[in-house]
Amino acid sequence: MCGQGSAGSGTAESSQAATPRPAPPEPLGPESLTWRYFGGWRGMLFGPWAGSMQNMHPGLGAGVEEHSTFFDERWERLYRSLYPIYGVVFDGARAPETAAKVRGYHNTVKGVDKHGRRYHALDPGTFYWAHATFFYSLVVSIEWFDGPLTVEQKHRLFDEHVQWYRLYGMPMHPVPESWEDFLAYWDRMCRTVLEDNKATRDVLDLSNLGRPPFLRWFPEGVWKLIRPPVTAGFLWLTIGLYDPPVRELLGYRWSRPEQTLHALVGRTIGFGTKLVPWRYRYHPRARAGWDRACGRIPADTGLLETPGRNLPPLDRRDSPVHYSPDVANRHRPTAVSP
């Protein structure tokens, strides 16, 4: 830890006094477990899991099917989306502003799905489900990579995810009251709400996946040869991360030997990441947050934005649903960049 913070507290006013305005939500800081574990590059392995779990929600899946162009620019969309997603956790005092922008990207995502059901991305239950998948993927990833969390750590992470969610300014009634209530909520969603739909299958269809950005130098012909086993491996990892009711919903089988091997793979990856210097285990937006907190760069340094190579196509950059910063004036501090 390179900095400490404390949650604000208040006192109750007399019944004769005016009702005080609620304190603004306080961003998470470097003392949190969420900062320690969220925002790492190893979390990229959870991309298909998180995307498919989100899209199985009827309202979220409909919004993706009818409004998203994710599959036209899969890698670019993923890489640029990580900047504001991680920013809500790592942007410090500016995190509420980042959260408001993220919420704003969803304002126009609404309609009626093919079953005649109305949906809106800002429906409280729908929006919270997306957040719940980020939170639960964090818990699952920690245990897959590093081993079991204590009950106290799970309660702490749960409380932090509530603090994190408050930054969006969304109604809080869908949020469970405790870690135990969250587990019941998650199980109910998996068993009775989630559905197998086109948006989910599109996430899991990696057959035409292009080369990731860090392999642009790799010959296209060679990539096409190795893509089937590589993507099959990613799908296998994803299937192993699902809860049993989700695997059953999607028609996947899973054996005990596969579970043993899957756990071994996770721990091996976790061990491997410990060999990387800690700063470079983090995505640049998260690393910049740590650098500000640790005094490596000034606290008022401009927020790190996605590089131009990840921006939407030119004809979509003015769309209100896209994060599309002005990268011509983007500040990229040398202390942050690898």
Side-chain angles (χ1 to χ4, degrees):
M1 301 294 181
C2 59
Q4 294 293 330
S6 59
S9 61
T11 56
E13 296 287 341
S14 165
S15 60
Q16 302 298 319
T19 302
R21 300 178 70 176
E26 183 174 356
L28 294 170
E31 76 285 351
S32 66
L33 284 180
T34 303
W35 264 52
R36 182 185 305 175
Y37 289 111
F38 194 57
W41 283 116
R42 68 185 189 177
M44 293 285 286
L45 293 173
F46 276 68
W49 180 91
S52 58
M53 288 298 297
Q54 290 181 5
N55 288 357
M56 277 186 273
H57 186 286
L60 217 157
V64 169
E65 285 187 31
E66 299 184 3
H67 294 267
S68 177
T69 57
F70 175 85
F71 302 104
D72 296 341
E73 39 155 4
R74 192 165 188 151
W75 284 114
E76 293 82 359
R77 177 64 180 270
L78 173 61
Y79 270 71
R80 71 171 178 267
S81 295
L82 292 176
Y83 283 81
I85 289 171
Y86 290 154
V88 180
V89 171
F90 291 98
D91 283 356
R94 289 169 283 185
E97 180 182 351
T98 302
K101 291 179 179 178
V102 171
R103 175 177 171 171
Y105 300 142
H106 298 82
N107 285 340
T108 61
V109 180
K110 56 185 175 181
V112 179
D113 71 10
K114 59 189 176 184
H115 302 292
R117 301 173 297 193
R118 292 190 175 276
Y119 67 88
H120 195 303
L122 293 182
D123 170 80
T126 302
F127 198 85
Y128 176 68
W129 172 249
H131 183 72
T133 62
F134 287 131
F135 163 59
Y136 198 56
S137 71
L138 178 61
V139 174
V140 174
S141 68
I142 294 169
E143 298 203 311
W144 191 51
F145 292 128
D146 300 324
L149 289 162
T150 66
V151 173
E152 187 276 332
Q153 287 174 317
K154 291 176 181 177
H155 279 266
R156 183 175 168 187
L157 284 168
F158 173 83
D159 291 342
E160 290 174 3
H161 113 284
V162 176
Q163 182 179 348
W164 171 10
Y165 190 64
R166 288 187 189 280
L167 296 173
Y168 292 109
M170 291 291 293
M172 297 299 291
H173 65 266
V175 182
E177 293 292 328
S178 67
W179 164 247
E180 289 75 16
D181 289 339
F182 179 87
L183 290 178
Y185 159 82
W186 185 267
D187 185 66
R188 177 179 64 81
M189 294 294 292
C190 290
R191 293 180 184 277
T192 67
V193 176
L194 302 187
E195 60 186 27
D196 186 357
N197 56 31
K198 182 179 182 301
T200 300
R201 292 298 177 174
D202 286 345
V203 169
L204 297 174
D205 180 5
L206 304 175
S207 59
N208 293 313
L209 186 68
R211 291 168 296 176
F214 56 85
L215 288 180
R216 292 299 187 220
W217 55 270
F218 204 71
E220 178 69 22
V222 178
W223 170 251
K224 288 182 178 179
L225 287 175
I226 67 170
R227 177 168 55 195
V230 169
T231 56
F234 269 103
L235 181 60
W236 180 80
L237 290 178
T238 302
I239 293 169
L241 295 169
Y242 287 138
D243 289 66
V246 175
R247 281 199 291 264
E248 182 178 352
L249 173 65
L250 297 177
Y252 294 123
R253 294 183 178 180
W254 194 249
S255 66
R256 183 170 296 178
E258 284 181 296
Q259 185 62 39
T260 300
L261 177 60
H262 190 270
L264 178 62
V265 169
R267 295 303 294 275
T268 302
I269 295 170
F271 176 78
T273 59
K274 290 179 172 60
L275 303 178
V276 178
W278 78 267
R279 288 183 64 250
Y280 296 101
R281 301 173 195 173
Y282 289 92
H283 180 274
R285 186 79 167 238
R287 194 186 317 145
W290 277 109
D291 284 347
R292 287 191 299 273
C294 295
R296 293 178 63 92
I297 57 177
D300 60 353
T301 299
L303 296 178
L304 195 68
E305 306 288 5
T306 188
R309 64 179 177 269
N310 296 331
L311 291 178
L314 284 172
D315 61 342
R316 299 176 187 167
R317 292 186 186 179
D318 292 330
S319 169
V321 303
H322 286 305
Y323 158 66
S324 184
D326 178 9
V327 295
N329 298 315
R330 189 170 65 103
H331 182 79
R332 190 175 179 86
T334 56
V336 175
S337 306

